[in-house]
Structures are given as structure tokens and as C-alpha cells.
Amino acid sequence: MIDRHRVRALMRKDWRELARNTQVIASLVILPLVLVVIIPSAVLLLGNNSAALTTTVAGLQGFLDNLPVQALPAGYSSEQLMVYAVIVYFMAPLFLLIPVIVASLTASSSFVGEKERGTIEGLLYTPLTDRELVLGKVFASVIPAVLLTWTSFLVYTVLVNTLGASLMGGLFFPTWTWAISVLALVPLVAFLATCLIVAISGRSTTMQGAQGTVVLIVLPVIALILGQATGLMLFDTLIAGIVAVALLAIDVAIFRTVVGRFQRERILTRL
């Protein structure tokens, strides 16, 4: 039986330590700023200049060449279609990098962070069960990652509709694909990334070593980006739904594995 009070107490402790880490906090701002503000602003401000737009955004021309015509709304001009393609399709898989990176930055300081601060031994001797300890560490990272990504999505929505209203002839965002991505994929991706990093964190001696696990999560996201750029697949509602179902099954399996293999005695012997 999980004691929610003990889990919440552990989460609050981790959040207080995270709030004091100004270097991590600054890092958490950079990626959302680039993906949510800088790139979409450049796309919308250069919307009437297709040559400048394709030059500014790397890989955009190849993506546009392989984008199926039926995926775009009818009646749009060439400039409108380009902006729509970038804002709705091109940015969708890139947006999933936010919960992955945020989770990696916060979760990598879980057990290995406790080691570096010299607090791991006291934590492992607390009445927390192994399941409560892992669950508290996971949700202490998942919740900030999800909340920051959802906030970024709201900023992105307001920004693209505000800057693009005149060019696009009104509101055009979000779409059902984005709804599935933000509501389902973001928490699932953040949970998976955190579970893997927490598992590695218990065996790592530095936070940099624990953060290396993020590559395992980033690679599938990069595969989605490359798949769109090469025309192999389109990150649409169907793909988002399939990925969500697959991630749910993977998350459950990974969490059970992490809890089952977690041994505080092994961590203590490595101190």
C-alpha cells in the first residue's frame, strides 16, 4: 500500500532543491523559448518570404517537398500553406523534445543528485518503501515537465494565432493532432524519460552520466522528425494515437521493471 503523504513529502523536498538550482532553472527556460517563441515567430514573420523561411529553418524545404497535399487545407495560398505546414506539422514532433529535456534535467538529479549532496544515505534509511521512493522521484520530475510543456503549448497557441491571424485569415491552431500530443503524449513521454533516468541515476556517480539516458528517448522523437522530412510518414492524428497507445504499454512495463530492480542496499554499497 502506497502512503501518499510520504510520496508527496519526498516530491516537495525535491522541488525545493530544484528551485534552489539556478543553473537547472535557466536551462529549463532555453528550450521552450526557442521552440515556442523564436522559431514560430520567425516562421510567421517571414511567412510572405518563402525563400527566407526555407533558408532560416533547417530541413524545412525537404519536409515541404514530401508533405502530402491532402494533409493541407484547401483554399490556402502558397504562403499560407507553408506557414500551416510548419506550425501544425513540422513543429509537432519537435515539441515533444520539451518534456524529454525537462524531465532529463530534473530526474538526473534524483538519486545521483542525492549522492553528490551527501543526502542519499539518510533518504534510503527513511520509512519510504522502494515503490514509494521510485514513485516520488518519478513524479517529482514528471509533474514539472508536464506543467512546463502545457504552459509552453498555451504560449505557442496564443502566439501563432496572434501573429498569424492576418496572414491565415483567422484562428487556425490547435488541431486534433496537437490535442492528442499535448494531453496524452507529453505526460507519457515525460514519464518514460523520467523512469529510465531514475533507474540509471541509482547506478550513476554523476548527473552527467545519468543525463546520457535521455538519448534513448530523443532518438524516437528524431525518428519522427526524419520520417516527416523524408516523407516516410506524417505525424497526424492516427500516428499520434498509435504512439500514445504504445507509450502507455511501455510506460507500465518500464515502471514495473524499475521498481522491481530497485535495491537500496546496492545503492548504499556503492556510496
Side-chain angles (χ1 to χ4, degrees), residues 1-3 6 129 131-132:
M1 188 67 179
I2 294 177
D3 189 321
R6 292 199 295 239
T129 65
R131 182 177 290 270
E132 290 169 349

Side-chain angles (χ1 to χ4, degrees), residues 8-28:
R8 284 197 292 266
L10 176 59
M11 292 165 58
R12 287 193 295 268
K13 180 190 76 67
D14 280 6
W15 287 338
R16 287 194 295 269
E17 292 170 352
L18 177 63
R20 290 194 292 266
N21 193 330
T22 55
Q23 184 177 359
V24 172
I25 295 297
S27 300
L28 296 180

Side-chain angles (χ1 to χ4, degrees), residues 229-244:
T230 58
L232 292 177
M233 66 177 178
L234 182 67
F235 192 71
D236 55 9
T237 305
L238 177 61
I239 295 297
I242 293 174
V243 173

Side-chain angles (χ1 to χ4, degrees), residues 168-189:
M168 305 299 291
L171 303 180
F172 67 101
F173 188 86
T175 64
W176 282 111
T177 300
W178 275 83
I180 295 174
S181 297
V182 172
L183 295 178
L185 291 185
V186 165
L188 292 171
V189 167

Side-chain angles (χ1 to χ4, degrees), residues 166-239:
S166 58
L167 175 64
M168 305 299 291
L171 303 180
F172 67 101
F173 188 86
T175 64
W176 282 111
T177 300
W178 275 83
I180 295 174
S181 297
V182 172
L183 295 178
L185 291 185
V186 165
L188 292 171
V189 167
F191 189 86
L192 177 59
T194 304
C195 283
L196 290 175
I197 294 171
V198 166
I200 299 298
S201 181
R203 296 171 172 82
S204 301
T205 56
T206 64
M207 283 190 285
Q208 288 77 12
Q211 287 174 348
T213 313
V214 75
V215 176
L216 297 174
I217 310 299
V218 171
L219 286 178
V221 177
I222 294 176
L224 286 173
I225 298 170
L226 293 177
Q228 286 203 136
T230 58
L232 292 177
M233 66 177 178
L234 182 67
F235 192 71
D236 55 9
T237 305
L238 177 61
I239 295 297

Side-chain angles (χ1 to χ4, degrees), residues 65-226:
D65 293 339
N66 292 293
L67 187 64
V69 177
Q70 60 271 22
L72 299 171
Y76 273 6
S77 66
S78 59
E79 291 81 8
Q80 289 174 318
L81 289 175
M82 179 174 290
V83 169
Y84 186 91
V86 175
I87 297 299
V88 174
Y89 289 112
F90 188 80
M91 294 297 298
L94 284 174
F95 205 81
L96 294 178
L97 290 174
I98 297 178
V100 173
I101 301 301
V102 172
S104 73
L105 289 171
T106 55
S108 59
S109 64
S110 56
F111 291 112
V112 70
E114 300 277 2
K115 292 179 184 179
E116 292 184 348
R117 292 188 296 270
T119 58
I120 183 66
E121 189 170 1
L123 176 65
L124 294 177
Y125 281 125
T126 61
L128 286 162
T129 65
D130 289 350
R131 182 177 290 270
E132 290 169 349
L133 194 54
V134 173
L135 194 63
K137 287 293 185 181
V138 168
F139 276 105
S141 295
V142 170
I143 292 176
V146 172
L147 291 179
L148 180 59
T149 308
W150 283 353
T151 302
S152 300
F153 169 72
L154 292 176
V155 173
Y156 184 82
T157 301
V158 173
L159 180 69
V160 299
N161 282 316
T162 300
L163 294 181
S166 58
L167 175 64
M168 305 299 291
L171 303 180
F172 67 101
F173 188 86
T175 64
W176 282 111
T177 300
W178 275 83
I180 295 174
S181 297
V182 172
L183 295 178
L185 291 185
V186 165
L188 292 171
V189 167
F191 189 86
L192 177 59
T194 304
C195 283
L196 290 175
I197 294 171
V198 166
I200 299 298
S201 181
R203 296 171 172 82
S204 301
T205 56
T206 64
M207 283 190 285
Q208 288 77 12
Q211 287 174 348
T213 313
V214 75
V215 176
L216 297 174
I217 310 299
V218 171
L219 286 178
V221 177
I222 294 176
L224 286 173
I225 298 170
L226 293 177

